[in-house]
Amino acid sequence: MTHQVRAVVARGKGAPVSLEMILVPDPGPGEALVRIEACGVCHTDLHYREGGISDDFPFLLGHEAAGVVESVGEGVTDVAPGDFVILNWRAVCGQCRACLRGRPWYCFNTHNAKQKMTLTDGTELSPALGIGAFAEKTLVAAGQCTKVDRAASAAAAGLLGCGVMAGIGAAINTGNVGRGDSVAVIGCGGVGDAAIVGSKLAGAAKIIAVDIDDRKLATAKKLGATHTVNSKDTDAVEAVRELTAGFGADVVIEAVGRPETYRQAFYARDLAGTVVLVGVPTPEMKLELPLLDVFGRGGSLKSSWYGDCLPSRDFPMLIDLYLQGRLDLDAFVTETIALDEVEKAFERMHHGDVLRSVVVF
């Protein structure tokens, strides 16, 4: 059986997205059909539309989603019809060298559905991050579904599928922020704010938010930043050092993905401190640092892939914290929108007017 559903498609580089009917097949072996309840509008989807990820148009956009499993294919045992799930784009294989070393969050052979979703004329779609969730239903590998408590709001839960998990994980998993640590977060969009929330969860004593937008700094303060620095007016490195007795922060999380902000992060950390890059750079960007400074300052320079998360471990835990009132995922939902409002949401995101617009079905 084939399901005909509404979906948001990017047909060409830079062109506005369109709402179209697509065809979604029933799940085959190892696959699951998911009825989407909510999907966040993430900057990665805009990258796809702009051709910044690949040129495999047309794209079926959307990936930061939660929904209900409608049916599963042969051999699927971890999820069943009726399960409320968060979708993830790193379905671990269990067999690659990272998985066999006990580091599945680095899995180098993650799974996607093998069957293709198509336009009604048969044109194959490329689903964003192997998910494609700006659609009433989508087909994914069953390992991309993580079952969580149904009591959670779909609009909030789905955000763990990408941006919020990336930020929280950058602090807790990659940065190993611990009790009493000082943390600086450079870039206070959705991912940076999630890193602030993660640092607070981990027990950081001082959390310094750095941005050039006072609106974003105000939001960061509400989410747990103890201090804010507007680097448009102030030298960010000197400000962070001044707030940390002249030493620099134990962990600096760079959530912008630009050479100039990475240099700030590098010099704003304490000796033997940690820099975590979670902001995504573009291919042409280059970084130049004195090698002696890299050696002399010691510590760790890390990149955070999807917050180094293991969805089966981290999603249920974070949803439990959310339901206990200890993790305010609702604070990241600026607005809920209809499926045909994604293009307008891209514009609001580009201007920094929202943390997250979330499509609710």
Side-chain angles (χ1 to χ4, degrees):
M1 178 181 173
T2 300
H3 306 260
Q4 185 166 303
V5 301
R6 296 182 308 144
V8 172
V9 174
R11 283 185 171 265
K13 183 175 180 179
V17 299
S18 53
L19 185 61
E20 306 197 24
M21 300 302 294
I22 68 166
L23 302 178
V24 183
D26 269 340
E31 296 175 341
L33 178 70
V34 179
R35 175 172 51 81
I36 303 300
E37 292 190 357
C39 184
V41 180
C42 177
H43 206 278
T44 302
D45 293 304
L46 185 57
H47 279 321
Y48 272 104
R49 195 201 73 175
E50 296 301 306
I53 305 292
S54 76
D55 59 358
D56 295 331
F57 290 95
F59 290 111
L60 172 57
L61 299 183
H63 61 279
E64 200 176 65
V68 175
V69 175
E70 283 209 342
S71 58
V72 298
E74 181 184 348
V76 175
T77 57
D78 289 343
V79 292
D83 285 348
F84 178 61
V85 296
I86 299 172
L87 300 185
N88 73 78
W89 46 270
R90 292 191 64 81
V92 301
C93 73
Q95 299 175 335
C96 71
R97 61 193 186 279
C99 289
L100 293 176
R101 289 173 181 169
R103 304 168 187 165
W105 46 89
Y106 292 141
C107 179
F108 302 129
N109 190 29
T110 57
H111 295 313
N112 296 130
K114 290 185 169 56
Q115 296 185 88
K116 294 293 186 179
M117 294 177 278
T118 69
L119 297 173
T120 54
D121 65 2
T123 302
E124 292 187 351
L125 291 161
S126 300
L129 292 175
I131 293 176
F134 285 149
E136 292 167 321
K137 297 180 183 180
T138 193
L139 184 74
V140 294
Q144 292 179 274
C145 301
T146 304
K147 183 180 178 181
V148 296
D149 195 321
R150 171 68 269 190
S153 156
L159 302 186
L160 291 178
C162 188
V164 172
M165 184 70 252
I168 291 176
I172 295 177
N173 296 331
T174 314
N176 295 313
V177 174
R179 293 188 300 275
D181 280 351
S182 58
V183 179
V185 176
I186 299 177
C188 298
V191 173
D193 280 345
I196 288 168
V197 168
S199 300
K200 182 180 178 181
L201 278 173
K206 187 170 290 184
I207 304 170
I208 305 163
V210 181
D211 203 283
I212 60 173
D213 187 329
D214 284 331
R215 297 174 303 166
K216 293 184 177 181
L217 291 172
T219 300
K221 190 90 176 201
K222 291 177 183 176
L223 289 170
T226 59
H227 300 78
T228 61
V229 174
N230 188 321
S231 56
K232 191 174 183 178
D233 310 319
T234 306
D235 184 302
V237 174
E238 291 303 317
V240 171
R241 286 180 176 170
E242 185 177 337
L243 290 166
T244 53
F247 300 121
D250 297 308
V251 180
V252 184
I253 299 169
E254 201 280 335
V256 180
R258 295 190 59 85
E260 54 268 41
T261 45
Y262 189 89
R263 285 179 61 86
Q264 289 176 335
F266 180 81
Y267 287 109
R269 67 182 174 129
D270 197 358
L271 291 174
T274 299
V275 173
V276 176
L277 175 64
V278 67
V280 182
T282 54
E284 75 280 1
M285 291 179 178
K286 306 290 183 184
L287 175 68
E288 185 174 328
L289 288 169
L291 192 57
L292 183 60
D293 285 358
V294 175
F295 172 78
R297 297 186 67 79
S300 300
L301 307 179
K302 296 183 174 184
S303 297
S304 186
W305 299 346
Y306 201 6
D308 291 342
C309 79
L310 186 59
S312 60
R313 174 196 66 194
D314 294 339
F315 289 4
M317 173 195 68
L318 293 172
I319 288 297
D320 283 347
L321 292 176
Y322 166 67
L323 293 174
Q324 293 166 18
R326 297 165 62 191
L327 172 59
D328 188 4
L329 294 176
D330 294 317
F332 288 87
V333 182
T334 307
E335 61 177 3
T336 57
I337 62 173
L339 189 58
D340 61 1
E341 296 179 281
V342 169
E343 185 66 35
K344 293 179 181 177
F346 281 150
E347 187 69 19
R348 290 192 288 274
M349 179 179 64
H350 180 70
H351 289 295
D353 297 332
V354 295
L355 271 183
R356 272 298 184 269
S357 303
V358 179
V359 174
V360 175
F361 292 83

